[in-house]
Amino acid sequence: MNTKLVNKDTITQRDSFSELLGQLANNSATVVHDEIELVIRGVREKMTAGRNGVITLVIGAGISFAAFMFLCTALIVWLTFYMALIMALLVTGAALALIGGIIAFIGYRKLKKLMHTT
């Protein structure tokens, strides 16, 4: 009678062990699924934040460009007190072209140096 109890105990242990393995498989699948969802949610949040950053950058650049144009207009108007309008336009355009050329040349040299070091 004692052996029947031992055999029944062994069968119960096997059943509970297979149940535990089944639960482990289900829990593992749930954890993996949840982790994938978490990664996807994180990527979406970063994309939203990145998109908002780009939109803010574009708006700021547009406003800065408009401000730059107004400052150029003010410079031209100020220069008309000392020279003809066409000369004020040419001086302002030439000065901006020179400044832009210098900045572009500096950027070109930095890129060239970067390309040669890698």
Side-chain angles (χ1 to χ4, degrees), residues 48-99:
T48 301
R51 185 182 68 222
N52 291 341
V54 168
I55 290 170
T56 304
L57 177 69
V58 168
I59 290 171
I63 291 171
S64 295
F65 182 72
F68 180 72
M69 290 293 107
F70 281 113
L71 290 172
C72 288
T73 304
L75 175 65
I76 292 167
V77 169
W78 180 71
L79 286 175
T80 58
F81 289 116
Y82 301 102
M83 60 186 75
L85 177 61
I86 191 72
M87 288 303 293
L89 291 168
L90 288 172
V91 167
T92 303
L96 291 174
L98 180 66
I99 292 168

Side-chain angles (χ1 to χ4, degrees), residues 2-80:
N2 213 2
T3 57
K4 285 185 180 181
L5 194 57
V6 170
N7 287 342
K8 192 173 186 179
D9 242 3
T10 306
I11 292 171
T12 306
Q13 285 178 352
R14 285 183 191 163
D15 287 344
S16 66
F17 183 71
S18 40
E19 286 176 8
L20 285 175
L21 283 178
Q23 288 176 357
L24 178 64
N26 288 337
N27 289 343
S28 297
T30 303
V31 167
V32 169
H33 183 265
D34 289 346
E35 286 296 320
I36 291 171
E37 287 292 323
L38 188 62
V39 167
I40 290 171
R41 188 177 303 135
V43 168
R44 283 183 182 155
E45 288 174 1
K46 285 183 181 182
M47 287 178 62
T48 301
R51 185 182 68 222
N52 291 341
V54 168
I55 290 170
T56 304
L57 177 69
V58 168
I59 290 171
I63 291 171
S64 295
F65 182 72
F68 180 72
M69 290 293 107
F70 281 113
L71 290 172
C72 288
T73 304
L75 175 65
I76 292 167
V77 169
W78 180 71
L79 286 175
T80 58

